Amino acid sequence: GFFQSYAVEVDLKDSSNATCLYADWMMRFLITYESNNGDYKTTTLNLSSSVTHNGSVCGNDTQAALVAVQFGEGHSWSINITKNNETYQGDFITLTYNTNDTAVFPDAKRKGPVTVLVKDSSRPVQLNTVYVCHNSFFIEAENTTQIFWNVTMQAFVQNGTVSKKESRCPADTPTSAPTVPPTVANVTTASTTTLSPAPTTAPKPVENPDTGNYSLKSGNKTCFLATVGLQLNVSQDKPLLININPKTTIADGACGNTTATLKLNDGNSTLIGF
């Protein structure tokens, strides 16, 4: 609702009019830029209702496939996809945004197109398998955050038919429920006439996180204010709880006319962005 964005569908055909590459996805971009008065602002670049895909290429064993889209006032995005034996994988993602678009960058100091090139970190996908990612995932580089969701993509389509076999992204993979450590309440001990069961110590509960006050300024005015206690529950080999310490956490970010970004860095390689 708040962010208006449109889905993109690209169905490339080969010389025999058979589908060779199919992609259907949604994306938007958060871009931080310098304004004429020296402040840094963050704006949202959404896809327009009219999107073209000029320059897209099917690819083959020796040439990379390319999905290229153009939208809005001089903006474009592309990804090249390489084939390696029995898999295909995204290689580089290129975003070009045009700060001459005054609707998105109303007071940008730098005028003209800006290109951001980033390596795609997605894992390889088996051939004849469609890559699917319903949940959103992010790529950050050079003052931009690229956000993707509802992604369906298959490169090097065989026999002109998109596969029904799926490879899901990590964001779509459900995490298993945390294992509950044994306590006196949930362990049944068989008693004997000679031995008493050893007492079981309940795990020490993690304390609630301290409340921090985080703020951003635009010039001399506070534009973002958050008073919050933060705790992360990370699902790995075993559950891990991390409390964010306000005393060692640095707030950074930017405020724009319609969006604001708050980034918290606790100094221990934990980064949180709002």
Side-chain angles (χ1 to χ4, degrees):
F2 182 74
F3 293 108
Q4 183 179 8
S5 193
Y6 295 86
V8 185
E9 183 179 32
V10 176
D11 187 353
L12 290 184
K13 307 288 185 180
D14 60 17
S15 57
S16 62
N17 201 34
T19 296
C20 59
L21 189 152
Y22 180 81
D24 186 0
W25 76 102
M26 299 187 73
M27 63 182 175
R28 69 170 179 263
F29 311 96
L30 301 180
I31 302 172
T32 301
Y33 67 99
E34 185 178 5
S35 65
N36 287 320
N37 60 12
D39 291 339
Y40 283 86
K41 299 181 177 181
T42 299
T43 188
T44 302
L45 175 61
N46 292 307
L47 294 182
S48 60
S49 58
S50 177
V51 178
T52 59
H53 54 85
N54 299 325
S56 297
V57 177
C58 289
N60 51 44
D61 291 341
T62 58
Q63 180 185 13
L66 178 68
V67 179
V69 295
Q70 304 82 35
F71 59 97
E73 300 296 326
H75 313 295
S76 63
W77 179 92
S78 67
I79 179 172
N80 67 318
I81 307 165
T82 55
K83 180 180 179 182
N84 183 15
N85 295 326
E86 298 301 318
T87 63
Y88 66 92
Q89 183 177 17
D91 192 5
F92 285 99
I93 294 174
T94 304
L95 167 66
T96 298
Y97 59 92
N98 185 8
T99 57
N100 286 324
D101 184 352
T102 57
V104 181
F105 307 94
D107 54 351
K109 182 177 181 179
R110 177 182 176 180
K111 298 295 185 181
V114 180
T115 298
V116 177
L117 182 68
V118 60
K119 179 74 174 175
D120 184 11
S121 59
S122 299
R123 61 194 180 193
V125 180
Q126 290 291 319
L127 291 176
N128 200 30
T129 303
V130 60
Y131 173 81
V132 176
C133 193
H134 293 308
N135 287 291
S136 60
F137 60 97
F138 307 82
I139 298 177
E140 292 188 332
E142 299 180 31
N143 297 323
T144 66
T145 301
Q146 304 183 39
I147 308 170
F148 306 90
W149 70 102
N150 288 347
V151 177
T152 301
M153 178 182 292
Q154 183 181 349
F156 308 101
V157 175
Q158 301 175 10
N159 302 320
T161 303
V162 177
S163 175
K164 296 185 181 300
K165 182 181 178 182
E166 295 183 352
S167 173
R168 288 297 188 99
C169 65
D172 282 2
T173 304
T175 56
S176 59
T179 303
V180 180
T183 65
V184 173
N186 64 19
V187 173
T188 302
T189 305
S191 61
T192 68
T193 56
T194 57
L195 295 176
S196 299
T200 304
T201 303
K204 182 181 178 181
V206 177
E207 297 179 355
N208 290 331
D210 293 334
T211 300
N213 295 306
Y214 309 103
S215 62
L216 300 176
K217 288 186 177 294
S218 178
N220 295 324
K221 295 182 178 180
T222 298
C223 61
F224 196 117
L225 179 64
T227 301
V228 61
L230 292 172
Q231 183 182 87
L232 306 182
N233 187 335
V234 183
S235 297
Q236 295 178 320
D237 295 335
K238 59 181 180 180
L240 175 65
L241 294 180
I242 302 173
N243 283 345
I244 302 302
N245 184 357
K247 296 180 181 179
T248 59
T249 299
I250 299 174
D252 193 7
C255 297
N257 293 331
T258 58
T259 61
T261 302
L262 174 66
K263 296 182 179 181
L264 301 179
N265 184 346
D266 75 341
N268 293 312
S269 300
T270 301
L271 304 173
I272 305 175
F274 297 92

